Amino acid sequence: MSDKKQTHFGFRTVDEDAKAGMVHEVFSSVASRYDLMNDLMSGGIHRVWKNAMMDWLAPRDGQHLLDVAGGTGDIAFRFLDRAPGARVTVCDMTESMLVEGRKRADAAEKIDRLAWVAGDAMALPFADNSFDRYTISFGIRNVTRISDALSEAFRVLRPGGRLMVLEFNRIPVPAMQWAYDRYSFNVIPAMGQAVTGDRDSYQYLVESIRRFPEQQEFADMISAAGFDRVQYRNLSMGIAALHSGWKL
């Protein structure tokens, strides 16, 4: 028996120190088709969710956003489009995701306001009190120790700073959740195989959603990390949810 601490990788149990490497392999494998697969899997609805995130976040000129697990830049570009006088640092543990983000046409236009940094959400390479806003979109469920990532978010935010998390979650109507599960497990891995040649990575992504804490449990984790005024909003009946908290 291993004496190492264990965690989940989808529905598998693995050693904690192995999970980060396994997640890195998943996203390295799918990086070049990541945005396309998001469109196919959600029917484009992920764009509506990200716009809803921006509506609630209300970007302002002069703010500095840290977007964690934001490799392809979807959140970063939206933030800068709404606040041209803001700055964004994108931090992702997978270099190939950052490469895909830097390839985007709008990246060159925003080069003076946009930085790309390789880093771990559980040990961010930034000083205390460095950012006005922290976002993580469909990334926190892949972190080995979610509580550590939330503590790091609190550390790097300035007093008065705000955390916002967009993540897949639960539909509160059991019959609808059952139907969504059937779609997720039967369609998404097969779609991943057809589009990227990688079924296993999308099988993991589906499983990881089911292992993520439900809405109120995750809100309680955010509060435990030190955040105040913690709230959440369901999107598309709870398929995804937005969580917000403030460092006061």
Side-chain angles (χ1 to χ4, degrees), residues 13 23 28 56 58 61 81 97 104 141 172 192 196 223 233 236:
T13 299
V23 170
S28 294
W56 199 11
D61 288 345
D81 285 342
M97 293 288 283
R104 290 174 56 156
R141 74 181 189 279
T196 71
S223 296
R233 297 176 178 177
S236 299

Side-chain angles (χ1 to χ4, degrees), residues 87-106:
R87 291 180 295 146
V88 178
T89 297
V90 179
C91 181
D92 199 291
M93 68 178 292
T94 307
E95 181 64 33
S96 55
M97 293 288 283
L98 296 171
V99 168
E100 292 301 317
R102 287 193 291 261
K103 287 180 183 177
R104 290 174 56 156
D106 38 0

Side-chain angles (χ1 to χ4, degrees), residues 49 138 141 166-170 180 209 212-213 238-241:
W49 297 337
F138 304 120
R141 74 181 189 279
L166 172 60
E167 189 54 85
F168 291 110
N169 219 288
R170 306 290 196 285
Y180 178 60
I209 294 168
F212 188 69
I239 292 175

Side-chain angles (χ1 to χ4, degrees), residues 126-139:
F126 308 109
D128 296 356
N129 307 314
S130 294
F131 300 95
D132 303 293
R133 299 291 183 266
Y134 173 114
T135 54
I136 183 166
S137 175
F138 304 120

Side-chain angles (χ1 to χ4, degrees), residues 206-221:
V206 171
E207 292 175 0
S208 69
I209 294 168
R210 302 310 180 274
R211 297 300 299 263
F212 188 69
E214 56 84 23
Q215 286 91 321
Q216 187 57 54
E217 183 183 356
F218 184 54
D220 292 342
M221 294 177 71

